[in-house]
Amino acid sequence: MCGIFAYLNFNVSRERRYILEVLFNGLRRLEYRGYDSAGISIDSSIYSGSDLNRQIFTPPLVFRQEGNIESLVKSVYQDVDATDLNLEESFSIHAGIAHTRWATHGEPAPRNSHPQTSDAGNEFLVVHNGVVTNYEVLKETLVRHGFTFESETDTEVIPKLAKFVFDKANEEGDQSVTFSQVVIEVMRHLEGAYALIFKSRHYPNELIACKRGSPLLLGVKELAEEASIGASFNDTKFLSSNGQPKELFLSSDANALVEHTKKVLVVEDGEVVHLKDGGVSILKFDQAKGKRGGTLSRPASVQRALSILEMEVEQINKGKYEHYMQKEIHEQPESLTTTMRGRLIRGGSCKAKTVLLGGLKDHLKTIRRSRRIVFIGCGTSYNASLAARPILEELSGIPVTMEIASDLLDRQGPIYREDTAVFVSQSGETADTLNALEYALENGALCVGITNTVGSAIARKTHCGVHINAGAEIGVASTKAYTSQIVVMAMLALAIGGDLISSQERREAVIDGLFDLPSKVKEVLKLDQEMKDLAKLLIAEQSLLVFGRGYNYATALEGALKVKEVALMHSEGILAGEMKHGPLALVDETLPIFVIATRDACFSKQQSVIQQLHARKGRLIVMCTKGDAASVCVGGSCRVIEVPQAEDCLQPVINIVPLQLLAYHLTVLRGHNVDQPRNLAKSVTTE
């Protein structure tokens, strides 16, 4: 969804051109999240008044533009040329904010882009990720107090409310009202999910960030040679204005921070982060505390420690590849190896093969006693859970149910204290999944998280969990995270069923299969050119059906999802057992049909499906196990894609790769944006 970024340099001279480029590059690192417009705010020139000891701060400059970031860059430099703004002017202290917007309220247009402003003088500016659900009520109130609104956004109420609070405090004689007091009073009136960064001409060279629900990180880069790598927020040297040069960053995620610093803090819900005079104050918002004696309350401060990002800049670069999606498809042998590293134990000749999931070991007994296991996710994460369900049921003997997070909440479906609820999300910030997590916690279930993001909301709020360790995934369409999720859930099944002697042989076969999986994925990636050739044949098609069953029903759903989300081509994943209950009516000689028929317990049933589709002149593309072409292709009348055989529960990891490649090549050939599909966002942080 939206991306927010801020850069504050303290006691280090930076030219305006440099500051602009830092902000632009921050936005470029966030554009994978999905956006349709962008904007930034920087300071205009500072000059001395008649009192030479007093600096005069003119209104901040705001630039907003519909379209991509390069359109914003072009627009900014055109405006700079038109106004003779000095790009070489240096600032020893400067605070800039930036934003990529994914439209929720109001069409993509400069007036609806962020930063949103309080008035023509830009007294308060805000960038926002999330949705303010009570904005209409706030807007009506502010209109009655004389405010006029320029945009259709929910965000515009926030800076206007900040100005209202500030003006009111000054009218009542509270001349010493602080920036943080203003922001906390604004937070008291907001409902919904948000991450916010505030900038104000009344508080020059200061920034305030706060959050509820949406992700936000603070990055710290200390420039003094004596700066300590282990500095923390309870270190008075860091908190105080000690004059040491430093750069501070705020961002929606780590991708925009890692090229500047690895020292970060994940901002918690209800925290207010105040950047001032090179120091950082972290305050805790308390909804119950309001005005005291006619003045705004002063919140309590909290102490937090910095953490170190386990991430490299190379992970967020394309390297030799044209697109992130292509890179991430081809990275899967390595990402799967990383997912399994240190977790699979083969043992010696007399030692059992086992799985060690450190994040779950203290809760395995509780999970084994569960009345059921409930998988909860959205989109690709739901499909990965569906692929893992059969092996989990087989090895654990516990009933496993599936829930799409939004549907569970809409129905208020029953969740019991005896349940184990497993929340699956690549980002760990998916709004519907987070809301379902809150619901499950309220109902007393044991909550397990499976995410790709250390420090994410799901990772922090669940009782226990497993990180999939797939590495940064930039392309909106999930590829390597999907296969790593399946592997982690297969290991989860092995861990839960690890105390059953009856399934030991099966468990050891799965563990052997996991060890062999990266090499088999490497082998199936050799089909790249073959899938490109197939994409050329399908380039003009309007629709594609994908049939699967058993373990590969999830493969059919996920393959169809990849094609529709990036190639913008209608595609539908269908349970092959339901073919005669409606889908068969669609079959004719023009409609391409992809059938997954690799060797497993459902193979003979899929052979029957192929024969029935062939009898109705279906235009078939069949994926089968190497050597099975003659068994699945009736009279040589269909196109066959052969893949290596794996253990049945791991076959979906192999089988999805050709469909990922097909979706990728279809998208490129049709001229669409591979990494940022139309209307879609990487991290869905609003409902």
Side-chain angles (χ1 to χ4, degrees):
M1 305 298 278
C2 302
I4 59 180
F5 183 78
Y7 167 58
L8 189 152
N9 57 294
F10 175 76
N11 260 6
V12 53
S13 185
R14 297 296 189 219
E15 293 180 348
R16 181 177 278 115
R17 187 189 302 277
Y18 178 90
I19 291 165
L20 282 171
E21 286 306 316
V22 170
L23 294 172
F24 290 146
N25 286 331
L27 293 183
R28 290 184 183 108
R29 294 299 190 192
L30 296 174
E31 63 182 341
Y32 79 98
R33 295 169 65 88
Y35 71 108
D36 44 51
S37 57
I40 64 168
S41 175
I42 58 172
D43 288 334
S44 54
S45 298
I46 302 169
Y47 61 92
S48 299
S50 55
D51 177 357
L52 295 180
N53 293 319
R54 180 170 171 264
Q55 287 185 317
I56 305 297
F57 289 85
T58 54
L61 302 171
V62 176
F63 305 92
R64 300 183 295 208
Q65 187 65 32
E66 178 187 348
N68 62 23
I69 290 162
E70 300 317 312
S71 298
L72 173 67
V73 173
K74 183 179 178 182
S75 166
V76 168
Y77 285 121
Q78 284 175 347
D79 287 351
V80 165
D81 290 340
T83 57
D84 294 325
L85 190 68
N86 182 9
L87 292 179
E88 314 311 320
E89 182 177 359
S90 285
F91 298 82
S92 61
I93 309 174
H94 181 280
I97 58 176
H99 186 269
T100 53
R101 176 177 184 258
W102 195 81
T104 56
H105 296 73
E107 65 183 358
R111 71 180 184 282
N112 291 325
S113 303
H114 299 203
Q116 284 290 307
T117 183
S118 58
D119 61 332
N122 296 335
E123 291 184 43
F124 288 89
L125 293 165
V126 168
V127 289
H128 171 211
N129 174 21
V131 172
V132 179
T133 54
N134 65 331
Y135 81 99
E136 289 176 328
V137 174
L138 294 173
K139 187 173 182 177
E140 289 173 7
T141 303
L142 290 165
V143 167
R144 285 199 301 272
H145 283 87
F147 286 88
T148 56
F149 284 75
E150 306 295 330
S151 77
E152 302 153 53
T153 68
D154 56 328
T155 304
E156 193 178 359
V157 300
I158 303 172
K160 285 179 165 49
L161 185 56
K163 176 172 168 52
F164 175 76
V165 170
F166 177 82
D167 290 347
K168 197 77 172 172
N170 278 273
E171 284 172 18
E172 294 172 358
D174 188 1
Q175 302 291 331
S176 61
V177 61
T178 65
F179 200 1
S180 58
Q181 286 176 301
V182 172
V183 170
I184 284 174
E185 189 60 25
V186 170
M187 290 175 70
R188 209 176 306 286
H189 292 85
L190 299 181
E191 295 176 7
Y194 55 77
L196 304 169
I197 303 176
F198 290 78
K199 175 178 170 67
S200 173
R201 63 181 294 193
H202 296 295
Y203 304 97
N205 303 322
E206 298 182 37
L207 291 176
I208 289 201
C210 59
K211 71 170 289 263
R212 180 195 294 156
S214 299
L216 189 63
L217 292 91
L218 168 70
V220 181
K221 182 178 183 180
E222 297 185 78
L223 302 173
E225 289 183 359
E226 65 272 18
S228 167
I229 291 175
S232 69
F233 284 115
N234 28 8
D235 184 343
T236 55
K237 177 180 75 69
F238 183 82
L239 281 171
S240 62
S241 177
N242 56 16
Q244 293 292 343
K246 58 170 67 83
E247 293 176 308
L248 301 170
F249 305 86
L250 291 159
S251 177
S252 294
D253 67 37
N255 288 349
L257 299 180
V258 66
E259 64 189 287
H260 300 290
T261 181
K262 290 190 177 184
K263 296 165 66 175
V264 300
L265 177 134
V266 178
V267 182
E268 300 280 0
D269 281 356
E271 288 184 341
V272 178
V273 178
H274 190 177
L275 311 184
K276 180 182 179 182
D277 297 332
V280 178
S281 302
I282 303 176
L283 310 170
K284 192 67 178 177
F285 170 67
D286 186 345
Q287 184 73 44
K289 291 182 180 179
K291 286 190 175 184
R292 293 180 178 177
T295 60
L296 299 177
S297 63
R298 298 185 183 275
S301 62
V302 295
Q303 292 183 334
R304 296 282 309 283
L306 287 165
S307 56
I308 304 298
L309 275 178
E310 298 294 331
M311 189 177 184
E312 301 297 334
V313 176
E314 290 72 22
Q315 291 180 262
I316 56 174
N317 291 330
K318 292 179 198 170
K320 65 180 181 180
Y321 297 97
E322 294 282 325
H323 303 96
Y324 283 112
M325 183 180 180
Q326 181 188 27
K327 173 179 180 264
E328 287 152 11
I329 291 170
H330 286 270
E331 279 179 342
Q332 287 176 108
E334 293 76 27
S335 61
L336 290 170
T337 300
T338 305
T339 296
M340 294 184 283
R341 183 172 291 128
R343 292 169 168 174
L344 291 181
I345 301 168
R346 224 169 195 166
S349 56
C350 58
K351 289 185 180 178
K353 298 167 184 173
T354 58
V355 167
L356 178 63
L357 298 176
L360 293 181
K361 63 181 181 180
D362 294 335
H363 295 84
L364 280 175
K365 288 183 180 179
T366 305
I367 296 172
R368 288 167 183 155
R369 291 196 299 267
S370 302
R371 64 186 290 176
R372 63 172 181 163
I373 296 172
V374 186
F375 277 106
I376 300 167
C378 306
T380 287
S381 294
Y382 175 88
N383 294 340
S385 305
L386 188 64
R389 176 171 66 173
I391 190 64
L392 192 58
E393 289 176 326
E394 177 189 341
L395 294 183
S396 71
I398 302 169
V400 179
T401 62
M402 307 292 305
E403 292 283 1
I404 294 173
S406 59
D407 184 53
L408 173 67
L409 292 165
D410 291 344
R411 297 182 352 257
Q412 292 289 288
I415 297 287
Y416 303 106
R417 290 178 61 84
E418 299 85 1
D419 290 338
T420 293
V422 183
F423 296 86
V424 188
S425 167
Q426 188 280 138
S427 68
E429 303 286 351
T430 309
D432 286 324
T433 309
L434 273 171
N435 291 338
L437 170 57
E438 297 291 348
Y439 177 69
L441 289 169
E442 289 169 7
N443 285 276
L446 175 68
C447 295
V448 179
I450 296 177
T451 83
N452 193 33
T453 312
V454 176
S456 64
I458 287 176
R460 296 194 311 272
K461 293 181 179 181
T462 46
H463 298 112
C464 57
V466 186
H467 288 110
I468 66 172
N469 296 335
E473 189 177 66
I474 307 298
V476 167
S478 183
T479 51
K480 64 177 183 176
Y482 174 76
T483 51
S484 285
Q485 283 173 338
I486 294 174
V487 165
V488 160
M489 287 184 271
M491 291 193 290
L492 174 64
L494 291 164
I496 295 171
D499 61 341
L500 298 175
I501 296 174
S502 58
S503 62
Q504 184 173 333
E505 186 177 341
R506 168 69 157 158
R507 288 199 312 275
E508 292 190 356
V510 173
I511 290 171
D512 287 337
L514 285 168
F515 274 110
D516 295 339
L517 200 54
S519 62
K520 291 186 176 179
V521 171
K522 201 168 191 175
E523 184 181 345
V524 82
L525 282 167
K526 294 175 183 176
L527 294 172
D528 192 14
Q529 185 59 47
E530 188 175 336
M531 300 315 295
K532 185 175 182 179
D533 294 340
L534 176 59
K536 290 175 182 176
L537 296 177
L538 299 177
I539 189 172
E541 298 298 333
Q542 299 299 309
S543 191
L544 174 71
L545 299 186
V546 187
F547 283 94
R549 73 192 307 154
Y551 284 104
N552 285 296
Y553 173 40
T555 309
L557 292 177
E558 178 63 12
L561 177 61
K562 289 285 100 53
V563 170
K564 74 177 69 163
E565 67 182 338
V566 292
L568 311 187
M569 172 180 173
H570 171 259
S571 53
E572 188 176 350
I574 299 172
L575 183 64
E578 290 291 293
M579 182 182 68
K580 293 181 181 176
H581 300 279
L584 198 58
L586 295 171
V587 178
D588 61 22
E589 63 273 12
T590 63
L591 177 67
I593 302 170
F594 200 110
V595 182
I596 303 163
T598 45
R599 285 274 174 181
D600 58 21
C602 300
F603 178 65
S604 61
K605 293 179 181 178
Q606 286 299 80
Q607 285 180 300
S608 175
V609 165
I610 292 166
Q611 289 170 349
Q612 292 177 63
L613 292 170
H614 175 68
R616 288 158 181 82
K617 297 184 170 57
R619 186 178 162 196
L620 297 179
I621 305 157
V622 179
M623 181 189 295
C624 68
T625 305
K626 277 190 175 180
D628 275 347
S631 304
V632 299
C633 191
V634 184
S637 59
C638 60
R639 189 180 184 100
V640 176
I641 298 157
E642 295 187 74
V643 297
Q645 185 169 10
E647 195 71 16
D648 56 2
C649 63
L650 303 176
Q651 193 69 45
V653 175
I654 303 293
N655 293 355
I656 194 58
V657 176
L659 284 162
Q660 291 172 345
L661 290 167
L662 175 63
Y664 170 75
H665 289 300
L666 265 174
T667 308
V668 173
L669 291 168
R670 288 162 73 109
H672 300 310
N673 190 325
V674 176
D675 293 324
Q676 290 142 33
R678 184 178 68 197
N679 301 334
L680 297 182
K682 180 65 176 174
S683 180
V684 184
T685 55
T686 58
E687 294 179 82

